Amino acid sequence: MTITPRLAWRNLWRYPRRTWLTVSAIAFSAMLLVFMITLQLGAYDMMIDTSLRVFTGEMQIQRQGYLDKPQMRASVPAAQASAARLRQATGLQAIAVRANGFALASSGTRSYGVPVIGVEPAFEPRVSTLPRLIKHGRYLSGDSAQEAVLGAALARNLKLGVGGELTLLGSGRDGSVAATVLSVVGIFDSGNPELDRHVVEIPLRTFQDVFSMGEEAHAIVIAGPGMEQIKQTEARIAALLPAGQGLVLLDWEKLLPGIKQMIQADMVQNWFTYIILIVVVTFSILNTFLMSVLERTREFGIMLALGATPWRLGGLVLLESVLLTLMGIVLGIVVGGGIAVYLHQHGFTFPGMKEIYAQFGLPGVIYPKLSFASFTLGPAVIFLFTAAAALYPALRIRKLNAVEAMHAV
Amino acid sequence: MEHTVLCRNVSKVYRQDTVAVQALTDVSLEIPRLDFVCLSGPSGSGKSTLLNLIGGLDRPTGGEIYVDGNRVDQMEKGALAELRLRRIGFVFQAYNLIPVLTARENVEFVMQLQGVAAGERTRKAREILKEVGLEDLENRRPGELSGGQQQRVAVARAIVSAPSLVLADEPTANLDSKTAENLMQLLRHMNREHGVTFIFSTHDKLVMEFSQRLITLRDGRIVDDVRRD
């Protein structure tokens, strides 16, 4: 081994207390970042997963252009048969067909314009948590049942309860009048005001009859085997899409762009806080490095006199900073990672969190996301900042004059 | 005659704010190879300034300085560092060892700067430490050595890379007379056995006795230059 690494290492331990304090500051911030980032990414995954599980699914097959302009005519032909083929080909059972329409929902003297969704009662519970969020009554019983379930807020507005009659009046795919009277069998409370205030679900076959859809529908909803495998699932489904029907496979980012935007905004906000923390730590480290260089001015003068170049001495100071930072970062990753691994297995929650989340059908426990990126991203930024901080004292050495430096006290 | 050092009309003026201090005035001297030269004179006579200029640690205000035929006063910083690394050894008054390195590592340090391979470095360092009588203390750090021992390490460091010139600025100033005498005997030995030119400064009469040539400076000028051998 060359002498330079030994020299750098021993220089660090001239003042062990100062070194430990600096290492502790770096370790603490690295630990905090590892913990916060894993928790943050875990929370995002939970948010995405929960949002998708409530209704949207992880991906949908639709007619091209339907997402931007949802017209009745932009339908998926033979949707149930296609869904059955997909289930068979992929082995995924969480695939369900939906048809979407719009109608005036009336009860007594009250009427509201609402989206009406035709669902397959047998498969819908596999792609959506709404069927499990029925607070009164039950979910739809069969494809052709003359039944409806609706959101709690809508039920309140229409003054409807289980057993009440809901009249729907809209227009069918062919422009004909679509009208029916259905019995309310269940009322769901998802915690999502949009769904609770507007949505009416009815059996798919009933929908197709009322809205003159024939065998057609508007979406095949797929809830993949998990967020980690979403890309592989997407590739498999895309390969199975029938050609020439103008169908497209849309992932959750396209279906719910708001979630991604919200996550990005949250990330920016959190990183702003992290950067402030890192800058504070960086200044304390800069102070340590500066003191370390200033108190060794005489020694640097000797080395310059012996023939060392300022670049080499600058390199020595940088190496010291790298060693110091790496010690802190490794310590921080071990402690922060340990906490993250523990919480990944046991979940992170705080008193009252479960109860609040349960109202919205959410699990109420966050599991930190363990990945190479979540473990290393924060510490890597700390490393870059501290390396930049060490540049200043390293560059100061270039200005040293050997004779003057050797006379420094 | 072959010269290790040649100075022609060297002068040095230090500026402190608006005051100019004339440290050296029109100094000319030739130091042949293998010479063992003592610069003497009172404090402020210009001894250290002259050593610093010859060693390329400082630049003269006027005149020319050559070391081994290389014009030092016009060299770039990088070339000067290279010259010091390859051709000049330094022994300082205050030992000036690197405190976190052991005696052997201090000796190896210069060789590492030169790019000498690790095995070769260690072998040479051990050899030279044995020659200065510190073979049993090679793993001690400077703080664990006496002043005389530290100065011997400094001599070993200066000589190990086989320079043609060693500059020693008051090397015995911090040593008692017995240790100072031993050190001078060591320097003389190195001068003869390793074929290295030595220039050292002192105001200690005992140390002057060891020199082959005694150059006396006063107020920045050479006032006497006596060959004693």
Side-chain angles (χ1 to χ4, degrees), chain A residues 3-4 6 10 298 312, chain B residues 84 96 100 105 112-113:
Chain A
I3 292 170
T4 309
R6 257 181 280 171
R10 288 179 198 167
R298 182 188 170 90
R312 187 181 277 268
Chain B
R84 287 198 296 270
N96 286 350
V100 293
E105 287 165 345
Q112 191 202 310
L113 296 179

Side-chain angles (χ1 to χ4, degrees), chain A residues 1-4 6-7 10-11 14 298-299 302-309 312 398 402-403 406, chain B residues 52 57-58 77 81 84-85 90 92 94 96 98-102 105 108-110 112-113 121 141 157:
Chain A
M1 187 165 90
T2 62
I3 292 170
T4 309
R6 257 181 280 171
L7 185 56
R10 288 179 198 167
N11 279 334
R14 286 183 186 213
R298 182 188 170 90
E299 229 171 279
I302 299 163
M303 292 184 188
L304 288 171
L306 293 176
T309 58
R312 187 181 277 268
R398 292 194 64 215
V403 178
M406 277 194 290
Chain B
N52 287 340
L57 295 174
D58 207 350
K77 265 189 172 180
R84 287 198 296 270
L85 186 60
F90 288 90
F92 305 100
N96 286 350
I98 300 167
V100 293
L101 297 182
T102 64
E105 287 165 345
E108 281 190 43
F109 181 72
V110 176
Q112 191 202 310
L113 296 179
R121 241 167 33 210
R141 293 193 186 183
R157 179 178 68 182

Side-chain angles (χ1 to χ4, degrees), chain A residues 107-321:
Chain A
S107 167
T109 57
R110 295 184 174 226
S111 300
Y112 292 93
V114 293
V116 179
I117 298 150
V119 298
E120 294 179 293
F123 294 105
E124 185 65 15
R126 296 178 189 180
V127 298
S128 164
T129 55
L130 274 189
R132 293 198 292 277
L133 295 171
I134 298 285
K135 294 290 183 304
H136 303 287
R138 59 166 173 80
Y139 195 59
L140 305 169
S141 59
D143 257 2
S144 302
Q146 298 298 302
E147 301 169 345
V149 293
L150 62 160
L154 181 61
R156 261 197 316 276
N157 291 339
L158 288 171
K159 293 193 171 178
L160 268 174
V162 174
E165 281 194 340
L166 174 72
T167 305
L168 295 175
L169 178 63
S171 61
R173 186 175 189 272
D174 55 2
S176 61
V177 173
T180 188
V181 178
L182 301 170
S183 174
V184 175
V185 294
I187 293 168
F188 61 81
D189 191 353
S190 69
N192 180 331
E194 278 296 302
L195 295 174
D196 293 346
R197 199 176 299 142
H198 293 116
V199 168
V200 173
E201 285 191 357
I202 65 175
L204 182 66
R205 187 65 66 192
T206 306
F207 183 99
Q208 286 169 330
D209 291 344
V210 172
F211 288 89
S212 311
M213 291 291 293
E215 294 296 316
E216 304 198 356
H218 294 108
I220 300 173
V221 182
I222 300 138
M227 290 303 287
E228 287 81 15
Q229 296 170 43
I230 201 162
K231 289 290 167 202
Q232 295 96 301
T233 310
E234 198 175 340
R236 283 170 70 198
I237 303 276
L240 294 168
L241 274 186
Q245 293 185 2
L247 299 180
V248 287
L249 180 65
L250 303 170
D251 63 15
W252 69 271
E253 290 182 21
K254 292 193 187 83
L255 295 167
L256 291 175
I259 290 190
K260 198 175 181 188
Q261 285 161 6
M262 195 174 72
I263 286 172
Q264 282 169 341
D266 189 64
M267 267 188 170
V268 169
Q269 192 185 337
N270 283 326
W271 270 102
F272 185 71
T273 315
Y274 298 157
I275 293 294
I276 290 174
L277 172 76
I278 292 170
V279 166
V280 170
V281 171
T282 303
F283 272 107
S284 88
I285 291 161
L286 174 63
N287 183 42
T288 304
F289 290 157
L290 260 182
M291 278 176 66
S292 155
V293 167
L294 287 175
E295 71 199 8
R296 284 189 286 153
T297 302
R298 182 188 170 90
E299 229 171 279
F300 288 132
I302 299 163
M303 292 184 188
L304 288 171
L306 293 176
T309 58
W311 286 113
R312 187 181 277 268
L313 298 184
L316 176 69
V317 170
L318 278 179
L319 181 61
E320 287 172 22
S321 83

Side-chain angles (χ1 to χ4, degrees), chain B residues 42-210:
Chain B
S43 291
S45 59
K47 305 185 296 291
S48 295
T49 302
L50 184 56
L51 285 177
N52 287 340
L53 294 178
I54 293 170
L57 295 174
D58 207 350
R59 289 186 191 277
T61 317
E64 298 168 12
I65 301 170
Y66 296 86
V67 173
D68 280 349
N70 301 291
R71 187 157 176 189
V72 173
D73 57 283
Q74 289 185 337
M75 272 188 178
E76 294 291 322
K77 265 189 172 180
L80 271 177
E82 189 65 17
L83 181 86
R84 287 198 296 270
L85 186 60
R86 307 273 169 195
R87 309 222 175 183
I88 305 174
F90 288 90
V91 179
F92 305 100
Q93 177 182 338
Y95 326 133
N96 286 350
L97 300 175
I98 300 167
V100 293
L101 297 182
T102 64
R104 179 166 57 77
E105 287 165 345
N106 263 287
V107 176
E108 281 190 43
F109 181 72
V110 176
M111 288 189 282
Q112 191 202 310
L113 296 179
Q114 289 180 328
V116 178
E120 176 74 355
R121 241 167 33 210
T122 306
R123 188 184 63 74
K124 278 188 171 178
R126 284 195 169 130
E127 259 176 31
I128 201 81
L129 281 171
K130 189 176 178 187
E131 201 172 337
V132 299
L134 295 175
E135 66 266 40
D136 296 331
L137 304 176
E138 64 169 52
N139 291 321
R140 290 205 187 168
R141 293 193 186 183
E144 299 163 340
L145 297 171
S146 69
Q149 288 166 338
Q150 286 188 55
Q151 201 60 304
R152 281 170 178 268
V153 176
V155 171
R157 179 178 68 182
I159 212 86
V160 74
S161 53
S164 55
L165 171 68
V166 169
L167 301 171
D169 189 8
E170 305 210 28
T172 60
N174 291 350
L175 304 177
D176 60 64
S177 55
K178 181 68 188 161
T179 314
E181 194 176 333
N182 287 340
L183 184 80
M184 288 316 296
Q185 280 167 353
L186 177 67
L187 294 184
R188 192 75 176 101
H189 166 80
M190 294 295 183
N191 166 243
R192 286 180 179 143
E193 298 301 316
H194 289 264
V196 181
T197 307
F198 270 79
I199 308 174
F200 56 94
S201 66
T202 188
H203 23 227
D204 185 341
K205 284 213 160 47
L206 173 81
V207 174
M208 289 176 209
E209 293 300 315
F210 282 88

